[in-house]
Amino acid sequence: MRAARLIKMVLLLQARPSMTAAELAKELEVSERTVTRDAQALSEAGIPVHADRGRIGGYRLVGGYRTRLTGLARSEAEALFLSGVPGALREMGLQDAASAARLKVSAALLPSLRDAPRTAAQRFHLDAPDWFKEPETPALLPAVADAVWDDRPVTARYRRGEDVVERELEPYGLVLKAGVWYLCARVGEPRGRPARDAGHGSFRVYRIDRFTAVDVGGERFARDEEFDLPAFWAERAEQFARSILRAEVVVRLSEDGVRRLPYAVGHAAAREALRDAGAPDERGRVTATLPVESEEVAHTQLTALGPEVEVLSPEGLRARFASDARRLAGLYAT
């Protein structure tokens, strides 16, 4: 513990010309007295930590004690500091490791590039959770993340409907989608059931907040080097988006309605509907068959388009919109 703190102290001093005891204490999460003792220990170990006395004094490294990363352009250095997603790293239990890594890189950069972390952080910030949702970190996420990084199989128990199911999984990758964590894993040998019943060897997606227990194995599994996490996720996301669209409605859209349709019903449904739509009529309106999750969901989604959409069928949904129109007319009658 102390050894790690001493290394961090050296890196902090290497990254800045000078730091006060109070600044070091805050960064290291210790007292100023501990900072004084650590600085003395470093000096005794041959690391040239010098203490400047006085009101504006502090600690600094002397004699050019530093290493440098050479060959990095400014754009490359700034891009390097964009690679970390603070919230996601914190939830996976990797915040300290990422902080140490950024500190080491900062300390090794040439002086002309030392402001790269600040300039990058002030120009890009990723806020992963969706609007109006209070993000919750799954309790088992750090354990799953450790298994992913170390290629270790897990025995996972998770909620599936009213049941709790146990699976042997080879965890390949994590995905954070709109504030929800997912595990992409290959299904291992199931316990007490034939392999074919559990899709042995296939890749599946699991919501980590549905895991109730995770036991990490000791031996590493042989990873399929051809597995492409971004491609796999894109394919499964597309399949999921299409799988929930189990009903259809026929609509007539204005030109503005066509433009706004993807934002109301989702890009997958809109793309499919407009791909097979007929030519615009004399008023520029397009008739299309729209895949939807249900009539109830369609009513909610299409209401957002207002007069830019007319529902032609099913008749029950059309009647519902007609009733909405009459109620609106009554509200706004003068």
Side-chain angles (χ1 to χ4, degrees), residues 1-329:
M1 186 74 175
R2 190 190 184 199
R5 188 176 72 242
L6 291 173
I7 292 172
K8 186 174 182 180
M9 183 174 180
V10 172
L11 293 171
L12 285 167
L13 294 175
Q14 188 170 311
R16 308 179 195 180
S18 177
M19 294 184 69
T20 66
E23 290 171 336
L24 283 168
K26 182 178 179 180
E27 290 283 353
L28 299 173
E29 298 181 344
V30 296
S31 67
E32 293 186 29
R33 181 174 297 181
T34 298
V35 169
T36 301
R37 288 198 298 264
D38 286 351
Q40 183 177 353
L42 289 171
S43 294
E44 292 173 354
I47 297 174
V49 178
H50 180 75
D52 293 317
R53 306 298 179 184
R55 186 173 57 85
I56 58 174
Y59 294 91
R60 59 186 174 88
L61 290 174
V62 297
Y65 188 89
R66 67 181 67 254
T67 58
R68 292 191 176 118
L69 288 177
T70 57
L72 280 179
R74 169 165 292 279
S75 60
E76 294 170 331
E78 291 174 343
L80 181 63
F81 285 94
L82 288 179
S83 62
V85 184
L89 291 170
R90 181 176 59 253
E91 292 181 6
M92 287 190 290
L94 297 174
Q95 184 179 25
D96 290 343
S99 176
R102 286 193 294 269
L103 185 58
K104 290 177 181 178
V105 174
S106 296
L109 286 174
L110 292 167
S112 61
L113 300 179
R114 292 276 166 75
D115 64 340
R118 182 184 60 80
T119 58
Q122 294 303 318
R123 287 165 174 80
F124 180 82
H125 175 70
L126 176 61
D127 184 10
D130 202 355
W131 287 103
F132 313 119
K133 291 183 180 179
E134 187 67 28
E136 295 184 2
T137 303
L140 295 173
L141 176 60
V144 175
D146 285 344
V148 169
W149 285 115
D150 216 18
D151 291 338
R152 296 188 185 277
V154 300
T155 301
R157 288 177 287 280
Y158 68 97
R159 296 186 302 275
R160 190 173 68 181
E162 298 297 324
D163 301 323
V164 175
V165 181
E166 183 173 295
R167 287 286 182 269
E168 300 294 319
L169 302 176
E170 295 176 353
Y172 268 65
L174 293 168
V175 175
L176 177 59
K177 171 69 171 178
V180 179
W181 284 95
Y182 296 89
L183 172 67
C184 301
R186 183 163 59 185
V187 181
E189 290 285 355
R191 292 187 174 180
R193 302 178 66 185
R196 62 180 178 274
D197 291 343
H200 171 58
S202 63
F203 287 94
R204 295 189 177 184
V205 177
Y206 300 87
R207 277 186 60 146
I208 295 180
D209 59 4
R210 293 179 182 170
F211 285 179
T212 60
V214 170
D215 297 322
V216 181
E219 297 184 1
R220 291 181 173 88
F221 62 85
R223 189 179 181 90
D224 183 355
E225 296 302 329
E226 295 185 358
F227 178 77
D228 185 332
L229 179 60
F232 172 77
W233 177 260
E235 179 184 354
R236 289 305 173 91
E238 180 75 15
Q239 291 175 358
F240 173 76
R242 187 61 186 87
S243 69
I244 64 175
L245 304 178
R246 301 186 179 93
E248 291 182 340
V249 300
V250 180
V251 295
R252 184 180 290 132
L253 298 157
S254 69
E255 185 176 338
D256 191 43
V258 169
R259 181 182 61 80
R260 292 165 50 189
L261 185 65
Y263 305 100
V265 303
H267 289 272
R271 181 169 60 248
E272 182 174 331
L274 297 176
R275 181 190 62 206
D276 301 326
D281 60 17
E282 65 279 1
R283 296 174 57 185
R285 299 177 302 174
V286 171
T287 299
T289 300
L290 178 68
V292 295
E293 187 174 345
S294 65
E295 288 189 24
E296 183 67 30
V297 172
H299 177 261
T300 300
Q301 293 175 329
L302 295 176
T303 296
L305 296 180
E308 308 306 325
V309 62
E310 177 189 0
V311 174
L312 302 180
S313 68
E315 187 57 39
L317 185 59
R318 179 179 173 85
R320 189 168 178 178
F321 273 97
S323 175
D324 290 347
R326 288 191 295 270
R327 291 173 61 194
L328 281 171

